[in-house]
Amino acid sequence: MTATTTAAAPSTWLTARRLDRAEQLLIVLFWSALVYRVWQSPNPFWPVVLFTETSVLLFVLLRRPTDAISMRFGDWLLAITATAAPMLIVPVQIPTAMVPLESIALGLVATGNVVQLGGKMFLRRSFGVAPANRGIKTGGMYRFVRHPIYAGYLMIHLGLLMMMPSLTNFLLYAIGWWAQILRLLAEENLLGQDPEYRVFMTKTRWRLVPGVF
């Protein structure tokens, strides 16, 4: 008589759709906490912070669901860290020494917002936080870099750090961008399974900053 072993059925409660909804809930919570902090800030540029992060919230809530999403815990942790860290900054008063750089900082933020919103408008409901394939987009600003939304964020965050310099904000942005780069690579690993994206990678060489990365 031969004993047979029946493998336990995998858990089905953790699905792509549920992860999608959990991600949206987390972003709403972080955004709400940001609104509370900036509303009390003495820094006159706090609406700039809220504008940028509100665009993230709206596109996350309006995106289309997908089953082609990473189910790896590490990928989700990176995505949430990269998205949440900028929402945790403290809008401190701009130091007197930084006032002469206000125009440069505002220019970076304005340009970055044009770039990131342009990328999001092109993606429309394909925008997401965790690595996922919601459809391959290769036109618009994606002809210049493979991740124009992140390129826009980079300019915005540099400008905001100039407006609101503090050790806390520097560390938050540093942590956020460490996670952002790793998230970017995880996205490309997932999207690279699609032949259309592999062709796109050969046509658009640079990921984030032309001539650098």
Side-chain angles (χ1 to χ4, degrees), residues 87-103:
M87 291 188 179
L88 295 175
I89 66 165
V90 180
V92 297
Q93 183 63 48
I94 184 169
T96 303
M98 298 297 291
V99 171
L101 300 178
E102 280 184 9
S103 58

Side-chain angles (χ1 to χ4, degrees), residues 10 16 27 37 40-41 50 56 61 71 74 84 88 92 107 119 122 124 141 146 148 151 158 165 171 175 184 190 204:
I27 298 304
R37 289 198 313 281
Q40 306 174 71
S41 171
L50 201 55
V56 175
L61 293 179
M71 301 295 286
L88 295 175
V92 297
F122 191 82
R124 296 182 184 177
M141 292 186 178
R146 299 205 292 264
L158 286 173
L171 290 175
I175 292 170
L184 179 156
L190 176 69
T204 303

Side-chain angles (χ1 to χ4, degrees), residues 22-134:
E23 179 190 85
Q24 290 172 326
L25 176 61
L26 279 174
I27 298 304
V28 169
L29 292 175
F30 280 115
W31 178 85
S32 299
L34 176 66
V35 171
Y36 176 78
R37 289 198 313 281
V38 300
W39 196 263
Q40 306 174 71
S41 171
N43 192 305
F45 297 113
W46 67 259
V48 177
V49 181
L50 201 55
F51 174 82
T52 299
E53 301 305 336
T54 298
S55 73
V56 175
L57 173 74
L58 292 177
F59 278 86
V60 164
L61 293 179
L62 295 174
R63 72 183 176 204
R64 70 166 61 88
T66 179
D67 291 322
I69 193 168
S70 174
M71 301 295 286
R72 295 179 57 192
F73 175 76
D75 289 349
W76 279 85
L77 185 60
L78 288 172
I80 294 300
T81 300
T83 305
M87 291 188 179
L88 295 175
I89 66 165
V90 180
V92 297
Q93 183 63 48
I94 184 169
T96 303
M98 298 297 291
V99 171
L101 300 178
E102 280 184 9
S103 58
I104 296 175
L106 283 170
L108 281 170
V109 172
T111 304
N113 271 311
V114 169
V115 172
Q116 65 100 0
L117 284 174
K120 286 174 182 172
M121 291 301 293
F122 191 82
L123 284 183
R124 296 182 184 177
R125 297 189 65 206
S126 295
F127 175 78
V129 173
N133 188 343
R134 292 184 170 85

